[in-house]
Amino acid sequence: MTMNNKLLLDNLRCIPDWPIKGVNFRDVTTLFKNADCLRTISDEMYELYKDKGITKIVGIESRGFVMSSAVAIKLGAGIVLCRKPGKLPCETVQESYAKEYGIDTIEIHKDAIDENDIVLLHDDLLATGGTMKAACDLVKKFHPKKIYCNFIIELINENLNGREKFDDDIEITTLIQI
């Protein structure tokens, strides 16, 4: 499901050739600094998930933290941070995955999720899907009742096919497709 809100599309900044030549970086910070955009993202995410029974929202480092927190408050859910290694102070569970230029690892606290949870994972952008797929695999280790994934932006015109990486039982929603 995608909403393609005009306000969000009009306020999204595109930075050509960043971080490398040929990449058009979609900068969500322009959405975060605009109170109307921030409210719109929060409201749209709430409407998508208000009846799903979400108990935990996993925010993916670092832009995923912003909306995860705002929506968790509205849904009455807890927040779980998914971070790079060495950033969380207690015992963690890890998942490694391949990126364009090597291997990366993410982790969450070992006591963050249990089998009674219904989990929403959130990040700013779905491109290749590698980080979120790893986050889904990490959350699956906890055997929650259900997992949902949400992104502010999904890149569809760049043949990245990020959505195809996910199992059929994972419902994916985006607010903007580009």
Side-chain angles (χ1 to χ4, degrees), residues 27-165:
D27 181 14
V28 294
T29 64
T30 55
L31 302 178
F32 295 161
K33 75 177 183 176
N34 180 312
D36 291 332
C37 290
L38 198 59
R39 186 177 315 101
T40 297
I41 294 168
S42 177
D43 289 348
E44 287 189 3
M45 286 181 64
Y46 173 76
E47 287 301 317
L48 285 169
Y49 295 103
K50 67 183 180 185
D51 298 322
K52 304 284 188 185
I54 305 296
T55 58
K56 301 276 175 62
I57 301 180
V58 176
I60 311 299
E61 186 167 345
S62 65
R63 290 178 297 272
F65 295 166
V66 177
M67 295 316 304
S68 296
S69 300
V71 175
I73 291 167
K74 291 178 89 163
L75 291 175
I79 184 95
V80 175
L81 302 181
C82 182
R83 305 224 43 202
K84 294 176 181 166
K87 302 286 186 177
L88 296 171
C90 294
E91 191 174 352
T92 62
V93 177
Q94 296 186 335
E95 184 73 27
S96 293
Y97 61 103
K99 290 182 72 172
E100 303 84 52
Y101 306 108
I103 302 293
D104 211 346
T105 302
I106 54 174
E107 60 185 20
I108 60 177
H109 280 136
K110 189 175 184 177
D111 61 355
I113 298 168
D114 66 43
E115 66 278 350
N116 294 313
D117 283 317
I118 298 173
V119 180
L120 170 62
L121 289 92
H122 172 74
D123 204 358
D124 66 322
L125 178 76
L126 173 57
T128 64
T131 302
M132 184 62 88
K133 173 65 167 116
C136 279
D137 291 345
L138 180 56
V139 169
K140 282 181 178 182
K141 292 178 180 180
F142 294 89
H143 308 288
K145 289 181 181 178
K146 179 78 176 150
I147 298 173
Y148 297 92
C149 291
N150 172 266
F151 302 88
I152 298 171
I153 303 164
E154 178 179 9
L155 300 180
I156 58 170
N157 292 331
E158 301 183 27
N159 297 319
L160 299 169
N161 304 317
R163 192 177 280 261
E164 294 175 8
K165 284 191 170 69

